[in-house]
Amino acid sequence: MDYKKTNAAGSTITRNVTELSREVGNAYESVMIMAKRSNQIAVELKTELNKKLQEFASFTDNLEEVFENREQIEISKYYERLPKPTLIAVEEFINGDVYYRNPAKENNTDK
């Protein structure tokens, strides 16, 4: 998914936990689904950012050669302005874009 084009809010919004847990039926399970999705998004964004910043990496140990790279700063600022992974995960959960399953519940229904 392209996280740069998400409609997630830029800041925290108070949510009704009852509405969030309506689909799953359990507030704690809903929160865990969003938390795990948030971790997935954070890892993807971090990997993408590290890959872009790797181009600017200096492999020398000389401190005198450290300098500011304008393009590197712009890339970092861009990623800082993106909505936080938690907000993206909540938005995806509300829109029904998150696939989840609970193996424990699936095993109980099979018996």
Side-chain angles (χ1 to χ4, degrees):
M1 178 174 194
D2 192 12
Y3 303 115
K4 293 131 189 121
K5 297 178 183 172
T6 183
N7 293 331
S11 63
T12 306
I13 298 174
T14 305
R15 307 277 183 185
N16 186 345
V17 179
T18 309
E19 288 179 18
L20 287 177
S21 64
R22 187 171 294 143
E23 184 179 334
V24 178
N26 185 338
Y28 300 107
E29 195 170 339
S30 299
V31 169
M32 284 307 300
I33 291 168
M34 290 182 276
K36 287 182 181 188
R37 179 63 183 139
S38 174
N39 287 338
Q40 290 173 344
I41 293 169
V43 168
E44 289 177 28
L45 286 175
K46 184 176 180 180
T47 320
E48 185 178 320
L49 175 61
N50 285 340
K51 202 180 305 180
K52 288 184 180 182
L53 293 178
Q54 193 75 26
E55 299 170 7
F56 304 105
S58 171
F59 298 107
T60 60
D61 291 337
N62 191 352
L63 293 176
E64 296 156 0
E65 293 181 13
V66 175
F67 61 94
E68 281 189 20
N69 187 335
R70 200 81 193 128
E71 191 175 343
Q72 182 179 5
I73 293 170
E74 289 300 318
I75 290 172
S76 296
K77 283 184 179 180
Y78 175 76
Y79 276 90
E80 287 175 4
R81 281 187 230 117
L82 286 176
K84 303 295 179 231
T86 307
L87 297 171
I88 297 172
V90 170
E91 189 68 26
E92 286 181 357
F93 185 78
I94 290 172
N95 294 337
D97 297 335
V98 178
Y99 169 76
Y100 58 89
R101 64 185 188 90
N102 187 340
K105 285 185 179 179
E106 289 174 7
N107 290 340
N108 288 341
T109 59
D110 291 341
K111 292 180 181 179

